[in-house]
Amino acid sequence: MDEQLMTGFAQLKKASLADQIHDSILEMIIKNPSEEGQVLNEKRLMELFGVSKAPVREALVKLCSEGILISVPRFGYMVVQLQEKDFQDITNMRVMLETEALRISFPNLTGQQKKQISDHLTAASAKKDVDVWQVWEDNEEFHMLLASFSENKIILRFLRQCMDMAKRVYAQNMWKRKNSMADSVNDEAHGEIYRKLCEGDLEGTLSILKQDIIGNM
């Protein structure tokens, strides 16, 4: 089940046109925080990106599902302003979901599953000249992979929603710090999680996992 789950996840990560437009709209929102509350117009976005209605509509629907936009009938899509409490709520939910998933999977982790983590770390460390979106994708894939070993579909469903919302928070914080979307891969915490797993240290793994989640926000 694990390999099938992650194969499907990897296929979804291959960015479609709608995914690219989604990230571009999100980047526009992040780079113009003073315009929070602005209304986005579907037709204007089609003209801006030079595409048909379908991928723009798909991107807007996804942004609404992530709580980034609100659809206002006959008006457009309004940007939702995130508050500090929202950041904390997302972080707390991720901690609850991911630590519970680890507790479930830890007693029965297989060598193949540990190899999947090792392979991910190797691939991530080879990435150069990346931006916040690619770095977040790498981070998200690691955490979803680790949680998938629990084989708990409910945890994975809610974690997916949290990760979608956390993506905006991560990119927004990076933009505030550096005024740039350029980023770099730092898998030190992920590597330490892997080492603790291999040592059979549950409490150590949980501690580092929690620190990593909080640090990403």
Side-chain angles (χ1 to χ4, degrees), residues 127-190:
K127 295 179 182 178
K128 307 295 181 184
D129 301 320
V130 293
D131 60 16
V132 293
W133 308 121
Q134 293 165 301
V135 170
W136 180 258
E137 181 176 311
D138 167 73
N139 178 67
E140 182 178 333
E141 187 171 337
F142 174 86
H143 286 274
M144 291 299 296
L145 173 63
L146 191 61
S148 75
F149 299 148
S150 70
E151 299 189 359
N152 187 311
K153 293 180 180 179
I154 304 302
I155 287 178
L156 291 176
R157 182 187 304 167
F158 285 106
L159 180 57
R160 156 64 60 203
Q161 294 174 356
C162 284
M163 296 302 279
D164 285 342
M165 291 185 284
K167 178 178 183 177
R168 175 188 181 182
V169 177
Y170 175 78
Q172 188 168 298
N173 286 340
M174 291 300 293
W175 176 257
K176 286 180 179 178
R177 287 188 211 126
K178 303 192 301 182
N179 200 37
S180 169
M181 301 306 283
D183 205 351
S184 59
V185 174
N186 183 354
D187 273 346
E188 183 177 344
H190 294 174

Short mmCIF file of all heavy atoms in Angstrom, two decimals, residues 127-190:
data_model
loop_
_atom_site.label_atom_id
_atom_site.label_comp_id
_atom_site.label_asym_id
_atom_site.label_seq_id
_atom_site.Cartn_x
_atom_site.Cartn_y
_atom_site.Cartn_z
N LYS A 127 19.40 18.92 -5.23
CA LYS A 127 18.72 20.04 -5.87
C LYS A 127 19.49 21.35 -5.66
O LYS A 127 19.93 21.63 -4.56
CB LYS A 127 17.30 20.18 -5.32
CG LYS A 127 16.40 19.01 -5.66
CD LYS A 127 15.02 19.18 -5.08
CE LYS A 127 14.13 17.99 -5.40
NZ LYS A 127 12.78 18.11 -4.79
N LYS A 128 19.64 22.11 -6.72
CA LYS A 128 20.33 23.39 -6.67
C LYS A 128 19.45 24.47 -7.31
O LYS A 128 18.57 24.17 -8.11
CB LYS A 128 21.67 23.31 -7.41
CG LYS A 128 22.57 22.15 -6.97
CD LYS A 128 23.03 22.32 -5.53
CE LYS A 128 23.94 21.15 -5.12
NZ LYS A 128 24.33 21.23 -3.69
N ASP A 129 19.72 25.73 -6.98
CA ASP A 129 19.04 26.87 -7.59
C ASP A 129 17.52 26.71 -7.52
O ASP A 129 16.82 26.76 -8.55
CB ASP A 129 19.48 27.05 -9.05
CG ASP A 129 20.97 27.29 -9.17
OD1 ASP A 129 21.52 28.02 -8.33
OD2 ASP A 129 21.58 26.73 -10.10
N VAL A 130 17.01 26.52 -6.33
CA VAL A 130 15.58 26.30 -6.16
C VAL A 130 14.88 27.54 -5.61
O VAL A 130 15.53 28.46 -5.09
CB VAL A 130 15.33 25.11 -5.20
CG1 VAL A 130 15.79 23.81 -5.83
CG2 VAL A 130 16.05 25.34 -3.86
N ASP A 131 13.56 27.56 -5.72
CA ASP A 131 12.78 28.65 -5.14
C ASP A 131 11.92 28.10 -4.01
O ASP A 131 11.97 26.91 -3.68
CB ASP A 131 11.92 29.35 -6.21
CG ASP A 131 10.92 28.40 -6.88
OD1 ASP A 131 10.67 27.30 -6.33
OD2 ASP A 131 10.39 28.76 -7.94
N VAL A 132 11.12 28.96 -3.39
CA VAL A 132 10.34 28.54 -2.22
C VAL A 132 9.36 27.43 -2.56
O VAL A 132 9.09 26.56 -1.73
CB VAL A 132 9.58 29.73 -1.58
CG1 VAL A 132 10.55 30.72 -0.98
CG2 VAL A 132 8.65 30.40 -2.57
N TRP A 133 8.84 27.45 -3.80
CA TRP A 133 7.85 26.43 -4.17
C TRP A 133 8.50 25.05 -4.24
O TRP A 133 7.93 24.05 -3.79
CB TRP A 133 7.20 26.79 -5.50
CG TRP A 133 6.65 28.18 -5.53
CD1 TRP A 133 7.00 29.18 -6.39
CD2 TRP A 133 5.67 28.75 -4.64
NE1 TRP A 133 6.31 30.33 -6.09
CE2 TRP A 133 5.48 30.10 -5.04
CE3 TRP A 133 4.96 28.26 -3.55
CZ2 TRP A 133 4.60 30.95 -4.38
CZ3 TRP A 133 4.07 29.11 -2.90
CH2 TRP A 133 3.90 30.42 -3.31
N GLN A 134 9.69 24.98 -4.84
CA GLN A 134 10.39 23.70 -4.94
C GLN A 134 10.84 23.20 -3.57
O GLN A 134 10.78 22.01 -3.29
CB GLN A 134 11.59 23.85 -5.88
CG GLN A 134 11.20 24.11 -7.32
CD GLN A 134 12.37 24.63 -8.15
OE1 GLN A 134 12.97 25.66 -7.84
NE2 GLN A 134 12.72 23.90 -9.19
N VAL A 135 11.29 24.11 -2.73
CA VAL A 135 11.72 23.73 -1.39
C VAL A 135 10.52 23.22 -0.59
O VAL A 135 10.61 22.21 0.12
CB VAL A 135 12.39 24.91 -0.66
CG1 VAL A 135 12.61 24.59 0.81
CG2 VAL A 135 13.71 25.25 -1.33
N TRP A 136 9.39 23.92 -0.71
CA TRP A 136 8.20 23.47 0.01
C TRP A 136 7.74 22.10 -0.52
O TRP A 136 7.30 21.24 0.25
CB TRP A 136 7.06 24.46 -0.10
CG TRP A 136 5.86 23.96 0.64
CD1 TRP A 136 4.74 23.39 0.13
CD2 TRP A 136 5.70 23.92 2.07
NE1 TRP A 136 3.89 23.01 1.13
CE2 TRP A 136 4.46 23.31 2.34
CE3 TRP A 136 6.50 24.33 3.15
CZ2 TRP A 136 3.99 23.11 3.63
CZ3 TRP A 136 6.03 24.13 4.43
CH2 TRP A 136 4.80 23.53 4.67
N GLU A 137 7.81 21.90 -1.82
CA GLU A 137 7.41 20.62 -2.41
C GLU A 137 8.25 19.48 -1.83
O GLU A 137 7.73 18.42 -1.49
CB GLU A 137 7.57 20.66 -3.93
CG GLU A 137 7.16 19.37 -4.63
CD GLU A 137 7.24 19.48 -6.14
OE1 GLU A 137 6.71 20.47 -6.69
OE2 GLU A 137 7.84 18.58 -6.76
N ASP A 138 9.55 19.71 -1.70
CA ASP A 138 10.44 18.71 -1.11
C ASP A 138 10.06 18.45 0.34
O ASP A 138 9.98 17.30 0.78
CB ASP A 138 11.89 19.21 -1.20
CG ASP A 138 12.83 18.38 -0.33
OD1 ASP A 138 13.12 17.25 -0.72
OD2 ASP A 138 13.26 18.88 0.73
N ASN A 139 9.81 19.52 1.09
CA ASN A 139 9.43 19.39 2.49
C ASN A 139 8.10 18.65 2.64
O ASN A 139 7.94 17.75 3.48
CB ASN A 139 9.33 20.78 3.12
CG ASN A 139 8.88 20.74 4.56
OD1 ASN A 139 9.59 20.25 5.43
ND2 ASN A 139 7.69 21.25 4.82
N GLU A 140 7.14 19.03 1.81
CA GLU A 140 5.82 18.41 1.86
C GLU A 140 5.89 16.92 1.54
O GLU A 140 5.25 16.09 2.21
CB GLU A 140 4.90 19.12 0.86
CG GLU A 140 3.48 18.60 0.85
CD GLU A 140 2.61 19.37 -0.14
OE1 GLU A 140 2.91 20.55 -0.42
OE2 GLU A 140 1.63 18.78 -0.63
N GLU A 141 6.68 16.60 0.53
CA GLU A 141 6.80 15.19 0.14
C GLU A 141 7.40 14.35 1.27
O GLU A 141 6.96 13.23 1.53
CB GLU A 141 7.66 15.06 -1.12
CG GLU A 141 7.70 13.65 -1.67
CD GLU A 141 8.37 13.57 -3.03
OE1 GLU A 141 8.41 14.59 -3.74
OE2 GLU A 141 8.86 12.47 -3.37
N PHE A 142 8.38 14.91 1.97
CA PHE A 142 8.99 14.19 3.09
C PHE A 142 7.95 13.90 4.18
O PHE A 142 7.83 12.77 4.67
CB PHE A 142 10.15 14.99 3.67
CG PHE A 142 10.74 14.38 4.92
CD1 PHE A 142 11.73 13.41 4.83
CD2 PHE A 142 10.29 14.75 6.18
CE1 PHE A 142 12.27 12.82 5.97
CE2 PHE A 142 10.82 14.17 7.33
CZ PHE A 142 11.81 13.20 7.22
N HIS A 143 7.21 14.93 4.57
CA HIS A 143 6.26 14.77 5.66
C HIS A 143 5.08 13.88 5.27
O HIS A 143 4.58 13.10 6.10
CB HIS A 143 5.78 16.14 6.15
CG HIS A 143 6.81 16.87 6.94
ND1 HIS A 143 6.98 16.68 8.29
CD2 HIS A 143 7.77 17.78 6.57
CE1 HIS A 143 7.98 17.43 8.73
NE2 HIS A 143 8.46 18.11 7.71
N MET A 144 4.62 13.98 4.03
CA MET A 144 3.54 13.11 3.58
C MET A 144 4.02 11.66 3.49
O MET A 144 3.26 10.72 3.81
CB MET A 144 3.01 13.58 2.22
CG MET A 144 2.25 14.89 2.26
SD MET A 144 0.76 14.89 3.30
CE MET A 144 -0.24 13.67 2.45
N LEU A 145 5.26 11.47 3.06
CA LEU A 145 5.82 10.13 2.99
C LEU A 145 5.87 9.50 4.38
O LEU A 145 5.44 8.36 4.58
CB LEU A 145 7.22 10.19 2.39
CG LEU A 145 8.03 8.88 2.38
CD1 LEU A 145 7.34 7.83 1.51
CD2 LEU A 145 9.45 9.13 1.87
N LEU A 146 6.40 10.25 5.34
CA LEU A 146 6.52 9.73 6.70
C LEU A 146 5.14 9.39 7.27
O LEU A 146 4.94 8.34 7.89
CB LEU A 146 7.20 10.78 7.57
CG LEU A 146 7.65 10.34 8.98
CD1 LEU A 146 8.66 9.20 8.89
CD2 LEU A 146 8.25 11.52 9.73
N ALA A 147 4.17 10.27 7.05
CA ALA A 147 2.82 10.04 7.57
C ALA A 147 2.13 8.88 6.87
O ALA A 147 1.29 8.19 7.46
CB ALA A 147 1.98 11.31 7.44
N SER A 148 2.47 8.65 5.60
CA SER A 148 1.81 7.58 4.84
C SER A 148 2.07 6.20 5.41
O SER A 148 1.27 5.28 5.22
CB SER A 148 2.27 7.62 3.37
OG SER A 148 3.59 7.11 3.23
N PHE A 149 3.16 6.03 6.15
CA PHE A 149 3.48 4.72 6.73
C PHE A 149 2.48 4.30 7.80
O PHE A 149 2.41 3.13 8.17
CB PHE A 149 4.90 4.74 7.31
CG PHE A 149 5.97 5.01 6.29
CD1 PHE A 149 7.13 5.69 6.65
CD2 PHE A 149 5.83 4.62 4.97
CE1 PHE A 149 8.12 5.96 5.72
CE2 PHE A 149 6.81 4.88 4.02
CZ PHE A 149 7.96 5.55 4.40
N SER A 150 1.69 5.25 8.29
CA SER A 150 0.66 4.92 9.27
C SER A 150 -0.52 4.20 8.62
O SER A 150 -1.31 3.54 9.31
CB SER A 150 0.14 6.19 9.95
OG SER A 150 -0.63 6.97 9.05
N GLU A 151 -0.64 4.36 7.30
CA GLU A 151 -1.75 3.78 6.53
C GLU A 151 -3.10 4.24 7.08
O GLU A 151 -4.10 3.51 7.03
CB GLU A 151 -1.67 2.25 6.49
CG GLU A 151 -0.40 1.74 5.84
CD GLU A 151 -0.40 0.24 5.60
OE1 GLU A 151 -1.41 -0.42 5.96
OE2 GLU A 151 0.59 -0.28 5.05
N ASN A 152 -3.13 5.45 7.61
CA ASN A 152 -4.36 6.03 8.14
C ASN A 152 -4.85 7.10 7.16
O ASN A 152 -4.30 8.20 7.10
CB ASN A 152 -4.10 6.64 9.53
CG ASN A 152 -5.37 7.12 10.22
OD1 ASN A 152 -6.18 7.82 9.63
ND2 ASN A 152 -5.53 6.73 11.47
N LYS A 153 -5.89 6.77 6.43
CA LYS A 153 -6.37 7.66 5.37
C LYS A 153 -6.95 8.96 5.92
O LYS A 153 -6.89 10.00 5.27
CB LYS A 153 -7.43 6.95 4.52
CG LYS A 153 -6.88 5.78 3.72
CD LYS A 153 -7.99 5.13 2.90
CE LYS A 153 -7.44 3.96 2.10
NZ LYS A 153 -8.52 3.30 1.31
N ILE A 154 -7.52 8.92 7.11
CA ILE A 154 -8.10 10.12 7.69
C ILE A 154 -7.00 11.12 8.06
O ILE A 154 -7.11 12.31 7.77
CB ILE A 154 -8.94 9.78 8.95
CG1 ILE A 154 -10.02 8.75 8.60
CG2 ILE A 154 -9.55 11.04 9.54
CD1 ILE A 154 -10.97 9.21 7.51
N ILE A 155 -5.94 10.61 8.69
CA ILE A 155 -4.81 11.48 9.02
C ILE A 155 -4.24 12.10 7.75
O ILE A 155 -3.97 13.31 7.69
CB ILE A 155 -3.72 10.70 9.77
CG1 ILE A 155 -4.17 10.40 11.20
CG2 ILE A 155 -2.40 11.49 9.79
CD1 ILE A 155 -3.18 9.59 12.01
N LEU A 156 -4.06 11.29 6.72
CA LEU A 156 -3.48 11.79 5.48
C LEU A 156 -4.36 12.83 4.81
O LEU A 156 -3.87 13.81 4.25
CB LEU A 156 -3.22 10.63 4.51
CG LEU A 156 -2.11 9.66 4.92
CD1 LEU A 156 -2.03 8.50 3.93
CD2 LEU A 156 -0.77 10.36 5.01
N ARG A 157 -5.68 12.63 4.88
CA ARG A 157 -6.59 13.59 4.26
C ARG A 157 -6.48 14.96 4.93
O ARG A 157 -6.36 15.99 4.26
CB ARG A 157 -8.03 13.09 4.35
CG ARG A 157 -9.06 14.03 3.69
CD ARG A 157 -10.47 13.56 3.98
NE ARG A 157 -10.65 12.17 3.55
CZ ARG A 157 -11.71 11.42 3.92
NH1 ARG A 157 -12.62 11.93 4.73
NH2 ARG A 157 -11.82 10.18 3.49
N PHE A 158 -6.51 14.97 6.25
CA PHE A 158 -6.45 16.25 6.97
C PHE A 158 -5.04 16.86 6.90
O PHE A 158 -4.89 18.09 6.86
CB PHE A 158 -6.90 16.08 8.41
CG PHE A 158 -8.39 15.94 8.55
CD1 PHE A 158 -8.96 14.72 8.85
CD2 PHE A 158 -9.22 17.03 8.36
CE1 PHE A 158 -10.34 14.59 8.96
CE2 PHE A 158 -10.60 16.92 8.48
CZ PHE A 158 -11.16 15.68 8.78
N LEU A 159 -4.03 16.01 6.88
CA LEU A 159 -2.66 16.53 6.76
C LEU A 159 -2.47 17.19 5.41
O LEU A 159 -1.81 18.23 5.31
CB LEU A 159 -1.64 15.40 6.96
CG LEU A 159 -0.17 15.82 6.85
CD1 LEU A 159 0.16 16.93 7.85
CD2 LEU A 159 0.74 14.61 7.07
N ARG A 160 -3.04 16.59 4.37
CA ARG A 160 -2.96 17.20 3.03
C ARG A 160 -3.55 18.60 3.06
O ARG A 160 -2.98 19.56 2.51
CB ARG A 160 -3.70 16.31 2.04
CG ARG A 160 -4.20 17.00 0.77
CD ARG A 160 -3.11 17.54 -0.09
NE ARG A 160 -2.23 16.50 -0.54
CZ ARG A 160 -0.97 16.71 -0.93
NH1 ARG A 160 -0.48 17.93 -0.87
NH2 ARG A 160 -0.21 15.74 -1.34
N GLN A 161 -4.69 18.78 3.71
CA GLN A 161 -5.31 20.10 3.79
C GLN A 161 -4.42 21.08 4.56
O GLN A 161 -4.29 22.25 4.17
CB GLN A 161 -6.68 19.98 4.46
CG GLN A 161 -7.69 19.20 3.64
CD GLN A 161 -9.00 18.98 4.38
OE1 GLN A 161 -9.15 19.35 5.54
NE2 GLN A 161 -9.96 18.36 3.70
N CYS A 162 -3.84 20.61 5.64
CA CYS A 162 -2.94 21.46 6.44
C CYS A 162 -1.73 21.89 5.62
O CYS A 162 -1.30 23.04 5.68
CB CYS A 162 -2.48 20.72 7.69
SG CYS A 162 -3.72 20.61 8.98
N MET A 163 -1.16 20.95 4.86
CA MET A 163 0.02 21.26 4.06
C MET A 163 -0.31 22.28 2.98
O MET A 163 0.51 23.15 2.66
CB MET A 163 0.58 19.98 3.44
CG MET A 163 1.09 18.95 4.45
SD MET A 163 2.39 19.57 5.55
CE MET A 163 3.83 19.40 4.50
N ASP A 164 -1.50 22.18 2.40
CA ASP A 164 -1.91 23.16 1.39
C ASP A 164 -1.96 24.57 1.99
O ASP A 164 -1.53 25.54 1.37
CB ASP A 164 -3.29 22.79 0.83
CG ASP A 164 -3.24 21.61 -0.13
OD1 ASP A 164 -2.14 21.31 -0.63
OD2 ASP A 164 -4.29 21.00 -0.38
N MET A 165 -2.49 24.68 3.21
CA MET A 165 -2.56 25.99 3.86
C MET A 165 -1.17 26.45 4.33
O MET A 165 -0.84 27.64 4.25
CB MET A 165 -3.52 25.93 5.04
CG MET A 165 -4.98 25.77 4.64
SD MET A 165 -6.13 25.85 6.04
CE MET A 165 -5.87 24.24 6.78
N ALA A 166 -0.37 25.51 4.80
CA ALA A 166 0.97 25.84 5.30
C ALA A 166 1.88 26.34 4.18
O ALA A 166 2.82 27.10 4.44
CB ALA A 166 1.58 24.63 5.98
N LYS A 167 1.60 25.93 2.96
CA LYS A 167 2.42 26.36 1.82
C LYS A 167 2.43 27.88 1.71
O LYS A 167 3.49 28.50 1.52
CB LYS A 167 1.86 25.73 0.53
CG LYS A 167 2.58 26.13 -0.74
CD LYS A 167 1.96 25.41 -1.92
CE LYS A 167 2.69 25.72 -3.22
NZ LYS A 167 2.12 24.97 -4.37
N ARG A 168 1.27 28.49 1.87
CA ARG A 168 1.19 29.96 1.80
C ARG A 168 1.96 30.58 2.95
O ARG A 168 2.68 31.57 2.77
CB ARG A 168 -0.27 30.40 1.85
CG ARG A 168 -0.42 31.93 1.90
CD ARG A 168 -1.86 32.33 2.14
NE ARG A 168 -2.01 33.79 2.16
CZ ARG A 168 -3.16 34.40 2.38
NH1 ARG A 168 -4.26 33.70 2.60
NH2 ARG A 168 -3.22 35.72 2.39
N VAL A 169 1.80 30.02 4.15
CA VAL A 169 2.46 30.57 5.32
C VAL A 169 3.98 30.54 5.15
O VAL A 169 4.68 31.52 5.42
CB VAL A 169 2.06 29.81 6.59
CG1 VAL A 169 2.81 30.34 7.80
CG2 VAL A 169 0.56 29.90 6.82
N TYR A 170 4.49 29.40 4.66
CA TYR A 170 5.94 29.26 4.47
C TYR A 170 6.45 30.29 3.46
O TYR A 170 7.43 31.00 3.72
CB TYR A 170 6.26 27.84 3.98
CG TYR A 170 7.72 27.64 3.65
CD1 TYR A 170 8.65 27.43 4.66
CD2 TYR A 170 8.18 27.67 2.33
CE1 TYR A 170 10.00 27.27 4.37
CE2 TYR A 170 9.52 27.52 2.03
CZ TYR A 170 10.42 27.31 3.05
OH TYR A 170 11.76 27.16 2.75
N ALA A 171 5.78 30.36 2.30
CA ALA A 171 6.24 31.29 1.26
C ALA A 171 6.12 32.74 1.72
O ALA A 171 6.99 33.56 1.45
CB ALA A 171 5.42 31.06 -0.01
N GLN A 172 5.05 33.04 2.45
CA GLN A 172 4.84 34.41 2.93
C GLN A 172 5.93 34.81 3.92
O GLN A 172 6.47 35.93 3.86
CB GLN A 172 3.46 34.48 3.60
CG GLN A 172 3.01 35.87 3.98
CD GLN A 172 1.54 35.90 4.36
OE1 GLN A 172 0.68 35.59 3.54
NE2 GLN A 172 1.26 36.24 5.60
N ASN A 173 6.29 33.90 4.81
CA ASN A 173 7.34 34.20 5.79
C ASN A 173 8.70 34.35 5.12
O ASN A 173 9.51 35.21 5.51
CB ASN A 173 7.39 33.10 6.85
CG ASN A 173 6.23 33.17 7.82
OD1 ASN A 173 5.60 34.21 7.95
ND2 ASN A 173 5.95 32.07 8.50
N MET A 174 8.98 33.52 4.11
CA MET A 174 10.25 33.63 3.38
C MET A 174 10.34 34.96 2.64
O MET A 174 11.40 35.59 2.61
CB MET A 174 10.40 32.46 2.41
CG MET A 174 10.61 31.10 3.08
SD MET A 174 12.11 31.04 4.10
CE MET A 174 13.37 31.20 2.83
N TRP A 175 9.24 35.39 2.04
CA TRP A 175 9.23 36.67 1.32
C TRP A 175 9.46 37.83 2.28
O TRP A 175 10.20 38.77 1.97
CB TRP A 175 7.90 36.83 0.59
CG TRP A 175 7.76 38.15 -0.09
CD1 TRP A 175 7.01 39.23 0.32
CD2 TRP A 175 8.39 38.57 -1.31
NE1 TRP A 175 7.14 40.28 -0.56
CE2 TRP A 175 7.98 39.91 -1.57
CE3 TRP A 175 9.26 37.95 -2.21
CZ2 TRP A 175 8.40 40.62 -2.69
CZ3 TRP A 175 9.69 38.66 -3.34
CH2 TRP A 175 9.26 39.98 -3.56
N LYS A 176 8.86 37.76 3.46
CA LYS A 176 9.05 38.83 4.45
C LYS A 176 10.50 38.91 4.90
O LYS A 176 11.05 40.00 5.12
CB LYS A 176 8.15 38.58 5.66
CG LYS A 176 6.68 38.88 5.43
CD LYS A 176 5.87 38.60 6.69
CE LYS A 176 4.40 38.91 6.48
NZ LYS A 176 3.60 38.60 7.69
N ARG A 177 11.15 37.75 5.06
CA ARG A 177 12.53 37.72 5.56
C ARG A 177 13.52 38.20 4.50
O ARG A 177 14.46 38.92 4.81
CB ARG A 177 12.91 36.29 5.97
CG ARG A 177 12.26 35.82 7.25
CD ARG A 177 12.85 34.48 7.69
NE ARG A 177 11.88 33.68 8.39
CZ ARG A 177 11.55 32.44 8.07
NH1 ARG A 177 12.12 31.86 7.04
NH2 ARG A 177 10.66 31.78 8.77
N LYS A 178 13.33 37.76 3.24
CA LYS A 178 14.36 37.97 2.23
C LYS A 178 13.93 38.84 1.07
O LYS A 178 14.76 39.22 0.24
CB LYS A 178 14.83 36.62 1.69
CG LYS A 178 15.36 35.67 2.76
CD LYS A 178 16.08 34.47 2.17
CE LYS A 178 15.20 33.67 1.27
NZ LYS A 178 15.86 32.47 0.72
N ASN A 179 12.64 39.17 0.98
CA ASN A 179 12.12 39.92 -0.16
C ASN A 179 12.52 39.24 -1.47
O ASN A 179 12.83 39.89 -2.47
CB ASN A 179 12.63 41.36 -0.14
CG ASN A 179 11.76 42.28 -0.97
OD1 ASN A 179 10.54 42.14 -1.01
ND2 ASN A 179 12.38 43.22 -1.66
N SER A 180 12.50 37.93 -1.45
CA SER A 180 12.89 37.14 -2.62
C SER A 180 12.21 35.78 -2.53
O SER A 180 11.95 35.27 -1.44
CB SER A 180 14.41 36.94 -2.66
OG SER A 180 14.77 35.99 -3.64
N MET A 181 11.95 35.17 -3.69
CA MET A 181 11.36 33.83 -3.72
C MET A 181 12.45 32.76 -3.88
O MET A 181 12.15 31.57 -3.93
CB MET A 181 10.34 33.70 -4.85
CG MET A 181 9.19 34.69 -4.75
SD MET A 181 8.31 34.67 -3.17
CE MET A 181 7.32 33.19 -3.35
N ALA A 182 13.70 33.19 -3.98
CA ALA A 182 14.81 32.22 -4.05
C ALA A 182 14.95 31.55 -2.69
O ALA A 182 14.69 32.15 -1.65
CB ALA A 182 16.10 32.92 -4.43
N ASP A 183 15.37 30.29 -2.69
CA ASP A 183 15.46 29.54 -1.44
C ASP A 183 16.55 28.49 -1.59
O ASP A 183 17.19 28.38 -2.65
CB ASP A 183 14.11 28.89 -1.13
CG ASP A 183 13.91 28.60 0.35
OD1 ASP A 183 14.87 28.76 1.12
OD2 ASP A 183 12.78 28.22 0.72
N SER A 184 16.77 27.73 -0.56
CA SER A 184 17.76 26.65 -0.62
C SER A 184 17.26 25.47 0.19
O SER A 184 16.53 25.63 1.18
CB SER A 184 19.11 27.13 -0.07
OG SER A 184 18.98 27.56 1.27
N VAL A 185 17.63 24.28 -0.24
CA VAL A 185 17.21 23.05 0.43
C VAL A 185 18.07 22.85 1.67
O VAL A 185 19.29 22.88 1.61
CB VAL A 185 17.34 21.83 -0.50
CG1 VAL A 185 17.02 20.55 0.26
CG2 VAL A 185 16.41 21.98 -1.70
N ASN A 186 17.42 22.64 2.80
CA ASN A 186 18.12 22.31 4.05
C ASN A 186 17.40 21.14 4.69
O ASN A 186 16.38 21.31 5.37
CB ASN A 186 18.14 23.52 4.99
CG ASN A 186 18.92 23.23 6.27
OD1 ASN A 186 19.35 22.10 6.51
ND2 ASN A 186 19.11 24.24 7.09
N ASP A 187 17.94 19.95 4.47
CA ASP A 187 17.30 18.73 4.96
C ASP A 187 17.97 18.20 6.23
O ASP A 187 17.89 17.02 6.52
CB ASP A 187 17.32 17.64 3.87
CG ASP A 187 16.12 17.76 2.94
OD1 ASP A 187 15.17 18.47 3.30
OD2 ASP A 187 16.13 17.13 1.87
N GLU A 188 18.62 19.10 6.97
CA GLU A 188 19.32 18.66 8.18
C GLU A 188 18.35 18.01 9.17
O GLU A 188 18.63 16.94 9.73
CB GLU A 188 20.02 19.84 8.84
CG GLU A 188 20.82 19.46 10.08
CD GLU A 188 21.56 20.64 10.68
OE1 GLU A 188 21.71 21.67 9.99
OE2 GLU A 188 21.99 20.52 11.85
N ALA A 189 17.20 18.66 9.41
CA ALA A 189 16.22 18.10 10.35
C ALA A 189 15.65 16.79 9.84
O ALA A 189 15.46 15.84 10.60
CB ALA A 189 15.10 19.11 10.59
N HIS A 190 15.38 16.73 8.53
CA HIS A 190 14.86 15.50 7.95
C HIS A 190 15.88 14.36 8.09
O HIS A 190 15.52 13.21 8.36
CB HIS A 190 14.51 15.70 6.48
CG HIS A 190 13.38 16.66 6.27
ND1 HIS A 190 12.97 17.07 5.02
CD2 HIS A 190 12.56 17.28 7.16
CE1 HIS A 190 11.95 17.91 5.14
NE2 HIS A 190 11.69 18.05 6.43
#
